[in-house]
């Protein structure tokens, strides 16, 4: 095995090791990590759990309350007692004690339907919290993809810059050979060296931007992910809806609109709950008690023990509470009107935002398709220019211009691709279809 072959084998081995050390973070894995570890998502999950607890039967007021109580009293008294037959007795330090225990049951039979409306309100509040959590999850996914695709774009940009540098290095080598054989001047060599330095600087900057973008992605993922990872650079445009059908979904499934509609229901329940205070409250009371008394010698009964059950109904009717109920009902009606106004405002905003998002997506997708075609033209132009440069029909300046044209076209294509994909995701979010999309 000759030395050159050993060197090439070592280079190939190092390249393979480097390739395998780059762990691929897929879009599906990134979404899962963001939803599991992102701190904003964790907070809203806790909010949903609290709302679910609040909406349970244990917090509804429909269950009775049962209270246990017990007590003990110990007395030391100095007593002078005169009996009916005229006899008297004096006791110093006479001891006596009393003990009691009991259970008390309270249950509201009727409260003007207040607890019924409150229980329904808690159910609606739970659903509203779930919608708020959905909005946070959708925003987190959009944020994650914005950073994820930024990493993907910078990765492709770095590859294009590296290829540009390789071409420039090959040009420098060729220029040196031609100078040695007197086919060109030293100026061609110097121009190539300057271009290599510029390409190297661009790569250094691109690498730093890529590192920063990966750190941003790790923050969105909410965990200390490995630094040495790659992302998927291919995108698929999955929008399958026509504009009219997608706009219909936006008016039905937009999360902001759904939250407002849920707030309207809650406001209506607040009005009914407030009105319930105008009606009386009927409650059931029951108790079981045990009492024991150990009396001193001056008492006719030395020891007495009582046990028993008691029950009853109580009726209360707040005929006038100073006007607080009237004020509460009036404010609830005003809040209902406010929620309805917000709903109309959101509908107008949805129509505007949807049309803007749709046009933005269509335009960016068209730009991306044009850039794809432009890549073919720029590549053909560069290939022909390189062949002419090899046979000396054009100078290095013309060659460099064709090279930069190809690089700029590739960078523009990369930007157009991921910009169009983000526009599609934002359109799906606006229409309420983001969480139903396969990424």
């Amino acid at each position: 095995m000759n030395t050159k072959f050993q060197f090439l084998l070592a280079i190939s081995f190092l390249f393979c090791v480097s390739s395998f050390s780059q762990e691929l973070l897929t879009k599906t894995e990134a979404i899962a990590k963001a939803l599991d570890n992102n701190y904003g998502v964790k907070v809203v999950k806790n909010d949903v759990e609290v709302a679910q607890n609040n909406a349970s039967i244990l917090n509804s007021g429909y269950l009775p309350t049962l209270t246990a109580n017990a007590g003990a009293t110990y007395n030391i008294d100095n007593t002078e007692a005169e009996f009916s037959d005229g006899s008297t007795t004096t006791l110093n330090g006479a001891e006596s004690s009393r003990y009691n225990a009991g259970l008390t049951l309270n249950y509201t039979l009727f409260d003007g339907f207040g607890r019924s409306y409150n229980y329904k309100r808690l159910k609606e509040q739970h659903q509203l919290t779930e919608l708020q959590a959905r909005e946070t999850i959708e925003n987190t996914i959009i944020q994650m993809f914005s950073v994820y695709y930024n990493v993907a774009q910078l990765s492709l940009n770095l590859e294009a810059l590296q290829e540009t540098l390789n071409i420039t290095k090959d040009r420098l080598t060729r220029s040196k050979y031609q100078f040695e054989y007197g086919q060109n001047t030293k100026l061609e060599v110097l121009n190539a060296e300057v271009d290599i330095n510029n390409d190297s600087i661009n790569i250094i900057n691109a690498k730093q931007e890529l590192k920063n973008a990966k750190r941003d992605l790790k923050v969105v993922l909410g965990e200390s992910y490995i630094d040495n990872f790659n992302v998927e650079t291919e995108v698929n445009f999955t929008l399958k809806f026509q504009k009219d059908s997608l706009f219909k979904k936006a008016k039905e499934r937009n999360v902001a609109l759904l939250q407002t509609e849920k707030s309207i229901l809650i406001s209506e329940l607040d009005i009914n709950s407030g009105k319930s205070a105008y009606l009386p409250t009927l409650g059931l009371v029951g108790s079981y008690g045990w009492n024991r008394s150990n009396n001193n010698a001056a008492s006719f009964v030395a020891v007495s023990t009582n046990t028993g059950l008691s029950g009853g109904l109580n009726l209360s009717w707040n005929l006038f509470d100073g006007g607080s109920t009237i004020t509460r009902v009036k404010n609830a009606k005003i809040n209902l009107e406010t929620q309805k106004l917000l709903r109309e405002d959101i509908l107008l905003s949805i129509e505007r935002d949807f049309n803007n998002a749709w046009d933005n997506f269509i335009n960016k997708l068209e730009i991306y398709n044009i850039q794809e075609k432009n890549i073919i033209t720029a590549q053909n132009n560069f290939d022909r220019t390189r062949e002419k440069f090899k046979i000396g029909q054009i100078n290095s300046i013309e060659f460099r211009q064709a090279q930069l044209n190809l690089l700029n076209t590739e960078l523009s294509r990369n930007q157009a691709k991921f910009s169009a994909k983000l526009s599609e995701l934002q359109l799906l979010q606006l229409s309420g279809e983001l969480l139903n999309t396969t990424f």
Side-chain angles (χ1 to χ4, degrees), residues 190-228:
L190 295 176
N191 286 337
E193 290 177 347
V194 170
D195 291 338
I196 284 179
N197 291 334
N198 291 331
D199 293 343
S200 300
I201 292 172
N202 291 335
I203 288 177
I204 292 173
N205 292 331
K207 286 182 176 180
Q208 186 59 49
E209 290 180 3
L210 181 58
K211 287 181 180 179
N212 294 341
K214 287 184 177 181
R215 294 189 184 103
D216 292 338
L217 181 57
K218 288 166 61 177
V219 171
V220 178
L221 298 181
E223 66 172 17
S224 181
Y225 197 66
I226 59 174
D227 292 322
N228 196 20

Side-chain angles (χ1 to χ4, degrees), residues 268-434:
E268 292 174 346
L269 291 171
D270 285 338
I271 295 174
N272 293 328
S273 177
K275 290 180 178 180
S276 67
Y278 293 136
L279 299 176
T281 299
L282 179 64
L284 173 66
V285 179
S287 64
Y288 172 81
W290 172 85
N291 295 274
R292 177 183 175 90
S293 297
N294 298 317
N295 301 315
N296 56 38
S299 301
F300 288 102
V301 179
V303 179
S304 66
T305 302
N306 298 318
T307 59
L309 291 169
S310 66
L313 296 174
N314 57 61
L315 176 69
S316 64
W317 196 341
N318 192 348
L319 299 178
F320 183 68
D321 60 358
S324 61
T325 298
I326 296 175
T327 302
R328 187 163 56 251
V329 172
K330 285 183 177 179
N331 290 338
K333 290 181 179 179
I334 294 173
N335 186 55
L336 174 60
E337 183 64 25
T338 299
Q339 295 299 329
K340 289 181 178 179
L341 292 173
L342 290 175
R343 182 181 183 276
E344 295 303 316
D345 183 55
I346 288 177
L347 282 173
L348 287 176
S349 298
I350 287 176
E351 183 176 4
R352 178 203 61 194
D353 295 342
F354 176 83
N355 288 325
N356 290 343
W358 178 269
D359 292 343
N360 189 43
F361 169 64
I362 296 300
N363 290 340
K364 289 186 176 181
L365 185 61
E366 183 178 0
I367 291 172
Y368 168 62
N369 292 329
I370 293 174
Q371 291 289 0
E372 283 281 27
K373 296 177 181 178
N374 202 22
I375 281 286
I376 299 175
T377 302
Q379 185 66 54
N380 290 335
N381 178 64
F382 174 73
D383 291 340
R384 294 183 180 182
T385 302
R386 179 160 54 179
E387 292 301 322
K388 291 183 177 180
F389 178 71
K390 289 180 179 179
I391 60 178
Q393 291 184 353
I394 61 174
N395 57 34
S396 61
I397 296 177
E398 294 173 305
F399 177 80
R400 179 64 175 179
Q401 186 60 50
Q403 185 185 20
L404 293 178
N405 288 340
L406 176 60
L407 174 62
N408 291 332
T409 303
E410 290 178 338
L411 298 182
S412 298
R413 187 270 310 271
N414 295 340
Q415 181 182 8
K417 177 170 70 171
F418 296 113
S419 180
K421 183 59 181 179
L422 282 176
S423 297
E424 181 191 50
L425 294 178
Q426 291 166 353
L427 181 61
L428 289 171
Q429 180 190 19
L430 187 63
S431 62
E433 290 293 321
L434 180 64

Side-chain angles (χ1 to χ4, degrees), residues 218-245:
K218 288 166 61 177
V219 171
V220 178
L221 298 181
E223 66 172 17
S224 181
Y225 197 66
I226 59 174
D227 292 322
N228 196 20
F229 67 93
N230 288 327
V231 298
E232 294 178 328
T233 57
E234 295 298 323
V235 298
N236 296 314
F237 296 97
T238 58
L239 188 62
K240 301 177 181 179
F241 300 100
Q242 298 295 324
K243 182 179 180 179
D244 292 340
S245 62

